[in-house]
Structure formats: structure tokens, C-alpha cells
Amino acid sequence: MELSPAARRLLALMTDPATEYPAAWPGRAELGPYDLGALLPSAYRGPATPAGTSARFLVEDEARERQPAFTSDSCAELFAALVDGLATRKWADLHLGAASLVRCPDGPPLAALAAPARTLVRFLLEAGRLDQPYALLAVAGLAGCDGRGDDGLDAKVTEAIGAGRGPIGAAELRLLASWDAGHRALFLEALRNRSFGSPPPLPGVWERLADLPGHTAFARAALEAAAARVAAIHAGEIPYRADRAFEASETEALGRAVRPALMRDEEWLPALLTPLLAGIAVAPGSARTLPSQALLYEIARAVEDFPTPEAVTALRAARGAARHAGVPKQLDRMLKRIDRAAADRRSPHPVRSAGGARAGRHQRPRR
């Protein structure tokens, strides 16, 4: 795909040391999505001249605010740039690489990406760089796409990043490991903590994530497991430890599980969410603590994203039951935002329900 004149000028600045500062910088509006996708590999490589560095910052800033698009060639070139950067950075922005996989309208060149994926994953595993666990898993999913096999990299990554996860976080990881690289890359779009160089999340990511194989079943099973654990804590079957009912990976996984369920207004959700919120908001006995502030606030953030009447009612009940001095104040602030979000979204926004029918996101279907 031919670059725009503005993109050609920026590419020259980043790749030709003889190119001088332009009299006037290209306007950002002149850059199309495919221009950004084609320029990002050169920006990532880090131009050596001041003019090239300025062009790099312009491209990277624009790609963080808009959606780049990639051809097969620019996607392959980005992975080549990630490999080239290992020598100096001792690291690679795998989130950016994975983002390109779900921004290739004609599909990424899977076979061409397998070799650089193997190089990236081996390097980061050997260096112990596990700071991008889900992106590492996404790129590992590419390693066997050329028919040569992945040399066990997929299993090695799953084992390495699975250490220390609670049962619910481990179950989510097993689900991810069952998906292909494209589905894993789509999952990354739902993460709050993505790399600084990542583009904005794709529109409709929660709708797309909910349609992935096994995700709805996992979401329900995860919330059932969470509700059962909290019930066991209150029954004295599991020792109570304040704010320790769930590992951090489990809290994050439950947040990702509850959002699509709220979005689809799943019929089974209120029966799980109501006792779960009631149980995590107050300690067994008379202690002024609670089993998990983190999960309580994570679910509140999810309800702000996709408010339903039952979820808001359950949150208000949890707020009224909490004995911890700071929790009602925090929930009051969150509930104000939730009320505004619910008011803004009262008009139906069609989404596909679990059974394939269409219903308003914030208008419950007739049952």
C-alpha cells in the first residue's frame, strides 16, 4: 500500500541521516491508519539523528491516540524491528507486536512471523523478562505457525507465567493457552496495563472477547468459584484473612469475567454477583475489615463500565453492610460515577446476547 506524502517525509527523516529538519512538519491529520502501521517499525528502531527522533516521537504519539492499521508487510516489518531491538534494549514491546495482529484487516502473515516470534520468546524467557506475561503468551502462539513447531515454547511460557497464580487466575490462563495467537492478542486489548507504546484498545473489545471460544463458560465458572470461596470463608471452612481472599491475578481475572457478563446482562449473573458482593464487603464476625477490598472495587469499576439495575442494587447493599470506615466513602464516589454512566446509557445499544439474539445493553430483554 502506497504511503501518503506526509508518511514518506517522516520515513525519510527516520531512515536517511542526510535528511534535514523540514521547514514545516507534516500535519498529523495527513497520516492515515496504514501510514502509522508502516512507520511504526522505523520509529521503534530508534532513529539516530535529532530530526529522525522528532519524527519518531510524532509517529509514536499519534499511534497511541489513534488506531494504526497494518498490511502483511508492515506487520512482518514490525516484528523484525522488535527482534532488531533486542541487542540494545534487552527487551521488546510485545504488546505493540501483538496489537498489530488484530489490526491487520487482511490477516497477519502468520508463517512469516513464526521465526521472529521464536527469537523474541526464547530471548525473553532466557533473560527472565516476564513483565509482559499475556503478551509473551500471545507471541508464543505464533511460534509454530510456519509448520516447524514451537519447540515447546508455548508450554514453557504458560508454566513460567503461571507461577503463583490462584486457582481462578490459573483457570483463566488455561483458557488463554487453548486459544490461537490472534485470540490471545485480542485478549490483550482488554487489559488495563498495556505497554506505553500500545495503541488505544480496539472498539467493542468486550463484545468480541465474550464471543471467543469458552469465555462465557469460564466467566460463569470463575464467578461461581469466587462466590463459593467467599461463602466458605463466612462459614468458617476457610480461615479468614483480611483482604486476602483472592490473589491479585484472581481479582484481575474476575474483573475480566464479570464485564462481558454485565454487558450481555446474563440471566445467571445476579444470583452470583449479589452474594459475592455481600460476602466480600464485610468480614465474618464483628471485625471492621473485609475479605477483599480489591475485588469489591474491581467489580464496582466493571459495573461503571456496564451498569445493570441488579448490579447497582447489589453494590448499594454491599456499601450499606460494610464496616470498614473507608469503604462506604469510596463506594459512594464510585456509585456517583455509576449513576452518571447508567444515565448516559439508558438508550439501547444493541449487542449480541449469548443465545445469538440482540438486546439493549442497558435494557433487559423480556424473559
Side-chain angles (χ1 to χ4, degrees):
M1 185 168 292
E2 186 175 352
L3 294 179
S4 68
R8 288 198 296 271
R9 291 198 296 273
L10 290 169
L11 183 63
L13 286 166
M14 291 189 290
T15 58
D16 183 0
T19 304
E20 298 180 353
Y21 270 105
W25 282 94
R28 297 185 179 209
E30 299 176 56
L31 297 174
Y34 283 102
D35 289 332
L36 292 174
L39 292 170
L40 277 170
S42 296
Y44 186 85
R45 285 189 169 100
T49 66
T53 299
S54 296
R56 168 196 175 185
F57 291 157
L58 186 154
V59 170
E60 290 179 337
D61 288 348
E62 198 67 8
R64 283 194 295 269
E65 297 176 6
R66 294 167 50 193
Q67 293 292 351
F70 295 83
T71 64
S72 292
D73 288 343
S74 61
C75 183
E77 186 62 20
L78 178 59
F79 272 78
L82 294 176
V83 172
D84 292 345
L86 290 175
T88 54
R89 301 182 186 213
K90 309 301 180 185
W91 180 81
D93 189 348
L94 298 187
H95 280 272
L96 180 60
S100 71
L101 302 180
V102 290
R103 289 171 175 80
C104 280
D106 295 328
L110 298 178
L113 299 179
R118 283 192 290 267
T119 299
L120 290 164
V121 173
R122 287 173 184 155
F123 182 96
L124 294 172
L125 278 179
E126 291 173 4
R129 295 299 302 267
L130 305 178
D131 50 318
Q132 308 171 88
Y134 299 114
L136 189 62
L137 186 63
V139 174
L142 296 167
C145 288
D146 57 358
R148 291 180 49 191
D150 65 3
D151 298 332
L153 290 177
D154 208 54
K156 291 176 183 176
V157 169
T158 302
E159 180 181 3
I161 68 177
R165 290 173 183 264
I168 295 171
E172 183 188 53
L173 186 58
R174 288 194 297 272
L175 175 66
L176 298 183
S178 72
W179 291 342
D180 62 24
H183 289 164
R184 297 176 191 182
L186 180 60
F187 172 85
L188 294 179
E189 299 291 312
L191 299 181
R192 280 200 300 271
N193 297 321
R194 299 161 71 229
S195 70
F196 181 72
S198 295
L202 288 173
V205 63
W206 292 109
E207 290 90 337
R208 296 173 65 181
L209 186 61
D211 285 334
L212 293 186
H215 191 273
T216 297
F218 160 75
R220 184 170 185 173
L223 290 164
E224 287 174 344
R229 187 184 304 177
V230 171
I233 289 171
H234 280 271
E237 298 166 5
I238 295 176
Y240 172 68
R241 294 186 297 166
D243 287 316
R244 300 291 295 276
F246 298 94
E247 300 286 345
S249 68
E250 295 183 303
T251 297
E252 294 168 2
L254 288 165
R256 291 187 286 266
V258 76
R259 280 176 173 82
L262 287 165
M263 177 202 69
R264 292 188 176 206
D265 203 4
E266 297 283 6
E267 288 187 336
W268 49 263
L269 182 60
L272 292 175
L273 198 57
T274 299
L276 176 59
L277 284 169
I280 60 175
V282 63
S286 59
R288 302 180 68 84
T289 57
L290 61 163
S292 180
Q293 286 190 69
L295 182 56
L296 179 61
Y297 297 149
E298 178 62 19
I299 292 176
R301 286 189 289 268
V303 175
E304 182 179 354
D305 291 337
F306 301 107
T308 67
E310 295 90 343
V312 175
T313 297
L315 268 176
R316 291 192 186 283
R319 182 253 180 251
R323 293 190 292 264
H324 187 289
V327 167
K329 296 177 182 178
Q330 179 66 16
L331 285 180
D332 283 343
R333 288 191 287 268
M334 301 179 90
L335 283 164
K336 286 181 181 178
R337 295 198 300 269
I338 290 168
D339 288 341
R340 288 195 295 269
D344 289 342
R345 298 167 180 170
R346 290 194 191 283
S347 60
H349 298 284
V351 295
R352 188 168 300 279
S353 70
R358 299 185 75 82
R361 178 184 295 177
H362 303 294
Q363 185 177 53
R364 293 183 67 83
R366 292 186 181 273
R367 293 169 181 162

